[in-house]
Amino acid sequence: MATWVYPPIAPEELRTAEDNSLRLELQWFLESLQRSFLQLKQGLEDCAALLAPQEPGSTLVLSSLRSESVKGFVNRVGTKLVKGDIHLRLVTLPPNTPRGTTTSTPSTRLIFCASPTSPDILLPQLLTVKSMVNDSLDIIDVSRWTGHSTDSSFISGQLKLLHDHLRDAKACLKGPIPGSDQPPIPGTDWWTDSPDENVFQPPLGEHLSLHFTVQDANLVLTVRTLSPTSPGGTPSTPTDSAFSLSGFSLRSKLLGLGPKPANHDEMGEIFEWRGKQDVVVREKVRVETSDPTLLSVAAKLSALEHEIARCRLNLGIILTGRVDQDD
């Protein structure tokens, strides 16, 4: 079915009418974006409030699956852990002898509590997310109050900047993806980013690592026992005392008696522990606990990113007449 304008319009006049129509449509869309910016700002403020240090915080239970390797809890307030009580029962850990007693217990108990004299256990991924949320709020304020709200090129650039910030914040909550080429995520290299050993009571010692990260908006604790390597780059042979720390003699170990640590994905790899010495991971246990607050932040960021992508797509269609949109 053909459509036409009667009486016919000259081509030059038709082009002028089309240009005026697009100009009015662009003007209307840029004005409507100001209302969208208000809604986006409210969503970002909700995210900022969820990441703010509000007492009593979130108490998260730590429990290893199908074993007694890790049991306990931690308390998260904002972007750091302020309190925790963790019991470890690992094959390669020595029995625990509580202070003031001579009786060993099969598990090692580690306690930490925030104080002016002890370092905090910070979660760098959440610090990055919080920073990106605050930067995104600044981007929205600049977009609304600098007098360029009717400049399509300026608004297009601001939307892209906002989209990039929220995409990176989501990636921080998602955590590292094995085999991907994503940029490094702060705080995810355990050999440099594990908490100071003196945060815990008793201190961890130089060959035990407790590393807290965020993966899929859940809090993850990875416990590793370490062994130094020899100068030639191979694991050093533990002494008899090292072998007997877990309650079994050297003879039992050599004969293959007693429990053995399970294989893990870092076996055979060498790491530079705290920049001081090369070590291998003898035993590794990973515990994941759901954090409802972080899950809520991730859901809000995903919805905001989707809304910004929609705004960018619509603006691109008006400006170029094409549906494709760059990342």
Side-chain angles (χ1 to χ4, degrees), residues 9-55:
I9 299 177
E12 295 79 5
E13 188 177 349
L14 181 59
R15 281 193 295 270
T16 300
E18 291 174 347
D19 291 342
N20 289 335
S21 177
L22 283 174
R23 180 180 55 78
L24 292 174
E25 183 179 5
L26 178 60
Q27 180 182 350
W28 170 85
F29 184 74
L30 292 175
E31 290 174 355
S32 70
L33 275 181
Q34 297 305 305
R35 295 188 294 272
S36 297
F37 280 141
L38 278 176
Q39 296 173 350
L40 291 170
K41 184 175 182 178
Q42 291 173 358
L44 288 168
E45 288 174 341
D46 290 343
C47 292
L50 290 170
L51 294 170
Q54 297 180 355
E55 297 289 349

Side-chain angles (χ1 to χ4, degrees), residues 72-93:
F73 75 90
V74 291
N75 183 247
R76 182 185 62 79
V77 176
T79 58
K80 62 184 179 181
L81 303 177
V82 299
K83 183 168 60 176
D85 189 344
I86 302 171
H87 295 255
L88 305 178
R89 184 177 293 188
L90 304 178
V91 174
T92 53
L93 266 185

